[in-house]
Amino acid sequence: MQELQSMEDFKNLKENGAHIFLFSADWCPDCRFLDPFMPEIEEAYSDYTFVHADRDKFLDLCADLDVYGIPSFVAFRDGKEIGRFVSKDRKTKEEVEKFIESLA
């Protein structure tokens, strides 16, 4: 999974192509729960580029996007938000897959 490096990175990525941003943090146990199955999801949904955004490094971005719970996913295609799975709850592989399949 690609790592978000800067706000400029975010702006460039969200404007060009299909990206799913995963907001999480190292200290978050529900975020770590995703780790074992995210590589499978990335492979299965290769139409999207997955980008990890460390919540602690991008607090302003989280506020701008109304991401107040982690782990959370926000998807963009060519500058337009196409879906979000934002909450503080633990997410199962099936829930993440259902979210991705629901994207327009």
Side-chain angles (χ1 to χ4, degrees):
M1 184 175 303
Q2 188 174 333
E3 192 71 32
L4 186 63
Q5 299 297 321
S6 67
M7 281 300 293
E8 187 175 316
D9 243 9
F10 172 75
K11 290 173 186 162
N12 289 336
L13 290 168
K14 88 169 193 172
E15 292 297 326
N16 299 294
H19 294 83
I20 297 177
F21 293 87
L22 166 58
F23 293 87
S24 71
D26 288 341
W27 51 263
C28 166
D30 289 337
C31 301
R32 299 289 58 85
F33 181 78
L34 299 171
D35 290 346
F37 58 79
M38 280 309 297
E40 291 173 46
I41 287 178
E42 286 182 78
E43 190 175 319
Y45 299 95
S46 59
D47 291 351
Y48 297 94
T49 300
F50 291 79
V51 183
H52 175 259
D54 186 316
R55 185 204 74 106
D56 294 337
K57 292 180 185 170
F58 293 99
L59 286 172
D60 290 344
L61 176 58
C62 289
D64 290 348
L65 295 174
D66 293 325
V67 173
Y68 294 108
I70 54 173
S72 286
F73 295 86
V74 182
F76 290 90
R77 180 176 290 122
D78 298 326
K80 181 178 184 287
E81 182 178 319
I82 57 171
R84 57 176 43 225
F85 187 12
V86 174
S87 72
K88 64 179 176 43
D89 300 325
R90 177 175 284 190
K91 291 153 183 68
T92 66
K93 181 179 182 201
E94 293 74 22
E95 289 171 326
V96 174
E97 290 171 335
K98 186 176 176 184
F99 159 68
I100 296 169
E101 288 168 9
S102 76
L103 297 174

